[in-house]
């Protein structure tokens, strides 16, 4: 007589991988053989008859469900799944709808990067920069959708590091988590550098640059003390309004008064294609464009706090990218065409001095918000990791003393490191390019493509559509590798050239020298 463990049945396609032990090799939507007891347990989970189930499955692969610190997972009808942000008896962090999410995503993405786009147009010409803005924007949209696909298969994840654990185990999670934190520290450090440029420009270098960076970092530290993305969405609207108003004021002042530093009689050297573009210049312009699409790293963290990411993330993503691509094109083309060879980076300095100071004052809230949203994403990852280390993952959403001590400790540690990096690389274009080459290459593009291969490994050549997507994702991985190698070489070479230039006041790190744009 056969035991139940000897009988195998085929799983219907509607059974999710989150409900099947990874030791059985389950894949979402794919027919899978497994034991009836496990299947019966899965049906109970789908029916909502069994809650608060702790599952410890054997096997070396961290598959579709949490293990270790991520064991607790609850499923309801319609296949919805709880993660650690819905700890029982505590406040739920899953509060975001599509409009809140769209605002956070716009705040996340539309910020520092846009200030470097007119300078990129000056370096390589209008036509190449327009093509880059559109193509890179579409690629980042596609890779963001891949992140959603991966999240749908593994809805317990809280961030991209958790997604990396699904792919490659705890070691890959640690590597990805460290890289994610460093990437976001670099981004927030670039926000600190930009705010020091603004403060130096508005005050005629009234204080040491190190002190201006410190004041900027302290402001971001205070903004990061609240613990949910809901707070980020509240500051998103004024942030977006400020960046739009600052750039529009720059465009209007250029149209009325002309660019900063222009003689009485001048002609603008606006070119469709720049002359004699060398490797460093071309790659540097490409890195600055990709930096403006750096928001993908925070999307899995945002999905984890959305009420229904499967339904609402795509509409929020479409809103984001339609706004971003359109606004990037208008800003890059308008400012470069009106300032020509007098275009500066950050772009607000292209306007006459007084009007540029006004523009920096207008855009300052957006710079603070950039530090807030990227800082919050990284700090949340550090916080979750810290709570797991002290075996308090069930108190992640708690308002108790322990959780607040861990949170404030992580906020402080993050911004101290951002302060150090901002002073180590106090040049706007250089810190943007280095950040783009080292980490944005993977967190915006490369990792999402690798996740796609993980999801589709058994059917890469199934039909013409799969073959096309396989080629596309392979090219995305190759692009990430090129950005790492060629991009980092270009960015570091450019930074050393700036340090050696007689025209630049900044000669090294931790300097009081003036980094104003006029």
């Amino acid at each position: 007589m056969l035991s139940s463990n000897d009988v195998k049945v085929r799983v219907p396609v509607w059974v999710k991988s989150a409900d099947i032990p990874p030791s059985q090799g389950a894949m979402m939507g794919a027919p899978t053989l497994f034991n009836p007891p496990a299947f019966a347990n899965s049906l109970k989970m789908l029916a909502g008859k069994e809650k608060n189930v702790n599952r410890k499955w054997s096997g070396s692969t961290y598959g579709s469900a949490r293990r270790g610190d991520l064991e607790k997972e609850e499923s309801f009808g319609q296949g919805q799944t709880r993660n650690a942000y819905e700890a029982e008896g505590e406040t739920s962090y899953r509060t975001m709808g599509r409009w809140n999410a769209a605002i956070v995503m716009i705040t996340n993405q539309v910020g520092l990067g846009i200030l470097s786009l007119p300078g990129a147009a000056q370096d390589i010409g209008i036509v190449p920069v327009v093509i880059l803005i559109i193509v890179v924007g579409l690629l980042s949209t596609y890779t963001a959708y891949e992140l959603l696909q991966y999240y749908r298969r593994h809805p317990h994840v809280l961030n991209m590091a958790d997604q990396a654990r699904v792919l490659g185990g705890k070691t890959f999670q640690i590597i990805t988590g460290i890289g994610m934190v460093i990437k976001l520290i670099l981004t927030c450090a670039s926000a600190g550098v930009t705010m020091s440029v603004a403060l130096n420009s508005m005050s005629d270098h009234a204080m040491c640059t190190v002190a201006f960076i410190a004041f900027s970092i302290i402001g971001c530290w205070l903004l990061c003390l609240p613990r949910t993305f809901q707070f980020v969405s509240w500051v998103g609207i004024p942030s977006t309004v400020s960046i739009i108003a600052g750039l529009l004021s720059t465009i209007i002042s250029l149209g009325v008064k002309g660019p900063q530093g222009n003689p009485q009689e001048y002609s603008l050297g606006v070119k469709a294609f720049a002359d004699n573009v060398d490797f460093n210049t071309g790659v540097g312009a490409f890195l600055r464009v990709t930096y403006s699409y750096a928001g993908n790293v925070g999307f899995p963290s945002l999905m984890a706090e959305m009420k229904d990411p499967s339904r609402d993330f795509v509409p929020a993503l479409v809103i984001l990218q339609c706004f971003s691509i359109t606004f990037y094109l208008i800003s890059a083309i308008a400012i470069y065409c009106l300032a020509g060879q007098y275009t500066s980076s950050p772009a607000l300095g292209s306007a006459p001095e007084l009007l540029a100071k006004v523009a920096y004052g207008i855009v300052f809230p957006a710079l603070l918000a950039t530090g807030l949203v990227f800082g919050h994403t990284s700090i949340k990852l550090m916080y979750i990791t810290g709570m797991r280390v002290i075996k308090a993952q069930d108190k992640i959403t708690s308002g108790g003393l322990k959780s607040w001590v861990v949170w404030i400790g992580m906020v402080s540690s993050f911004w101290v490191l951002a302060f150090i990096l901002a002073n180590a690389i106090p040049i706007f274009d250089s810190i943007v390019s280095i950040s783009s080459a080292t980490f944005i290459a993977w967190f915006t593009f490369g990792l999402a493509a690798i996740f796609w291969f993980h999801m589709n490994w058994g059917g890469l050549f199934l039909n013409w559509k799969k073959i096309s997507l396989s080629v596309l994702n392979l090219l995305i991985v190759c692009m990430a590798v090129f950005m790492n190698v060629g991009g980092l070489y270009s960015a570091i070479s450019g930074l050393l050239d700036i340090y050696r230039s007689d025209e630049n006041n900044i000669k090294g790190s931790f300097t009081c020298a003036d980094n104003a744009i006029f």
Side-chain angles (χ1 to χ4, degrees):
M1 180 176 176
L2 292 174
S3 68
S4 60
N5 289 331
D6 295 321
V7 181
K8 295 185 177 181
V9 296
R10 191 166 293 274
V11 182
V13 296
W14 47 263
V15 177
K16 287 189 174 181
S17 63
D19 300 308
I20 302 172
S23 58
Q24 305 296 338
M27 293 291 291
M28 178 182 289
T32 306
L33 295 178
F34 73 113
N35 294 325
F39 182 53
N41 183 60
S42 299
L43 292 178
K44 290 179 182 178
M45 293 291 291
L46 287 171
K49 294 178 181 178
E50 188 170 328
K51 304 270 184 90
N52 298 317
V53 177
N54 291 326
R55 291 176 290 178
K56 295 183 179 179
W57 291 331
S58 60
S60 59
T61 303
Y62 181 86
S64 334
R66 285 171 292 174
R67 293 171 54 198
D69 295 335
L70 293 176
E71 290 168 4
K72 188 176 180 182
E73 182 173 297
E74 292 184 22
S75 291
F76 305 89
Q78 308 303 319
Q80 295 180 2
T81 304
R82 281 186 179 178
N83 59 29
Y85 286 159
E86 296 174 290
E88 185 145 347
E90 306 291 351
T91 302
S92 174
Y93 277 15
R94 303 200 75 157
T95 58
M96 306 287 290
R98 68 179 60 178
W99 290 106
N100 296 120
I103 292 169
V104 171
M105 292 162 75
I106 291 172
T107 307
N108 196 13
Q109 183 159 289
V110 181
L112 294 177
I114 196 171
L115 301 181
S116 68
L117 296 180
Q122 181 187 26
D123 287 343
I124 61 176
I126 292 178
V127 173
V129 98
V130 167
I131 293 173
L132 279 177
I133 289 172
I134 295 173
V135 171
V136 175
L138 294 176
L139 276 179
S140 72
T141 305
Y142 171 67
T143 53
Y145 181 68
E146 289 180 320
L147 293 177
L148 175 64
Q149 290 179 309
Y150 210 63
Y151 180 87
R152 283 170 172 167
R153 297 202 178 190
H154 312 286
H156 60 278
V157 300
L158 302 181
N159 47 57
M160 194 174 282
D162 281 356
Q163 289 184 322
R165 183 167 181 171
V166 173
L167 175 65
K170 189 172 183 179
T171 300
F172 193 41
Q173 179 191 31
I174 293 171
I175 294 171
T176 303
I178 293 172
M180 182 176 170
V181 170
I182 296 174
K183 182 266 175 197
L184 292 169
I185 290 173
L186 272 170
T187 301
C188 291
S190 66
V193 170
T194 308
M195 284 185 275
S196 74
V197 172
L199 292 170
N200 269 320
S201 301
M202 290 187 289
S203 67
D204 296 323
H205 191 45
M207 192 179 293
C208 174
T209 296
V210 174
F212 276 140
I213 291 175
F215 286 135
S216 303
I217 295 298
I218 291 171
C220 292
W221 176 84
L222 289 171
L223 285 173
C224 283
L225 290 178
R227 286 163 53 183
T228 68
F229 266 118
Q230 187 70 39
F231 173 75
V232 180
S233 71
W234 295 342
V235 302
I237 293 177
S239 165
T240 304
V241 169
S242 75
I243 193 74
I244 293 174
L247 285 164
L248 288 178
S249 67
T250 301
I251 293 170
I252 293 169
S253 62
L254 285 170
V256 175
K257 295 287 188 179
Q260 178 210 153
N262 62 287
Q264 292 290 332
E265 299 291 334
Y266 69 95
S267 60
L268 298 178
V270 178
K271 296 182 178 180
F273 297 90
D275 300 326
N276 303 318
V277 178
D278 58 23
F279 177 82
N280 285 351
T281 302
V283 173
F286 172 62
L287 291 175
R288 279 177 275 163
V289 172
T290 57
Y291 185 90
S292 63
Y293 293 101
N296 290 33
V297 65
F299 290 168
S301 302
L302 181 63
M303 293 174 201
E305 295 195 37
M306 293 179 69
K307 296 174 184 176
D308 190 349
S310 186
R311 181 192 66 191
D312 292 335
F313 180 78
V314 170
L317 178 65
V318 170
I319 293 169
L320 164 72
Q321 298 295 35
C322 288
F323 177 84
S324 297
I325 293 173
T326 302
F327 194 41
Y328 289 170
L329 288 172
I330 292 172
S331 301
I333 295 172
I335 292 177
Y336 174 57
C337 288
L338 291 171
Q341 67 271 30
Y342 302 101
T343 301
S344 65
S345 188
L348 303 181
S350 305
E353 184 170 334
L354 177 60
L355 297 172
K357 291 180 179 180
V358 172
Y360 268 120
I362 294 172
V363 84
F364 207 83
L367 301 179
L368 285 169
T370 297
L372 162 63
V373 71
F374 281 103
H376 192 278
T377 299
S378 181
I379 293 161
K380 186 64 70 67
L381 169 62
M382 296 165 64
Y383 168 70
I384 292 167
T385 303
M387 294 294 281
R388 289 171 181 166
V389 168
I390 65 173
K391 308 299 182 183
Q393 60 268 27
D394 58 330
K395 299 296 182 182
I396 283 176
T397 63
S398 169
L401 178 62
K402 181 186 291 186
S403 63
W404 272 109
V405 168
V406 174
W407 177 261
I408 294 173
M410 295 305 176
V411 172
S412 302
S413 300
F414 178 87
W415 285 108
V416 166
L417 292 173
F419 171 76
I420 293 170
L421 274 175
N423 282 285
I425 314 172
I427 307 295
F428 174 73
D429 280 348
S430 296
I431 196 170
V432 165
S433 296
I434 289 172
S435 176
S436 186
T438 48
F439 297 106
I440 291 173
W442 290 105
F443 287 107
T444 298
F445 304 107
L447 276 177
I450 293 173
F451 291 154
W452 184 89
F453 280 114
H454 185 228
M455 289 185 289
N456 297 277
W457 190 250
L460 298 180
F461 307 104
L462 191 61
N463 50 47
W464 69 267
K465 181 180 178 181
K466 287 290 186 182
I467 294 173
S468 301
L469 291 175
S470 298
V471 172
L472 174 61
N473 281 281
L474 180 61
L475 291 175
I476 291 173
V477 173
C478 292
M479 183 181 78
V481 173
F482 170 77
M483 289 173 67
N484 264 171
V485 180
L488 199 55
Y489 169 80
S490 170
I492 294 174
S493 298
L495 176 62
L496 295 176
D497 289 343
I498 290 172
Y499 282 160
R500 290 191 290 261
S501 173
D502 294 333
E503 298 178 359
N504 189 66
N505 294 326
I506 305 294
K507 300 299 181 183
S509 303
F510 286 90
T511 177
C512 280
D514 186 6
N515 65 353
I517 37 75
F518 39 74

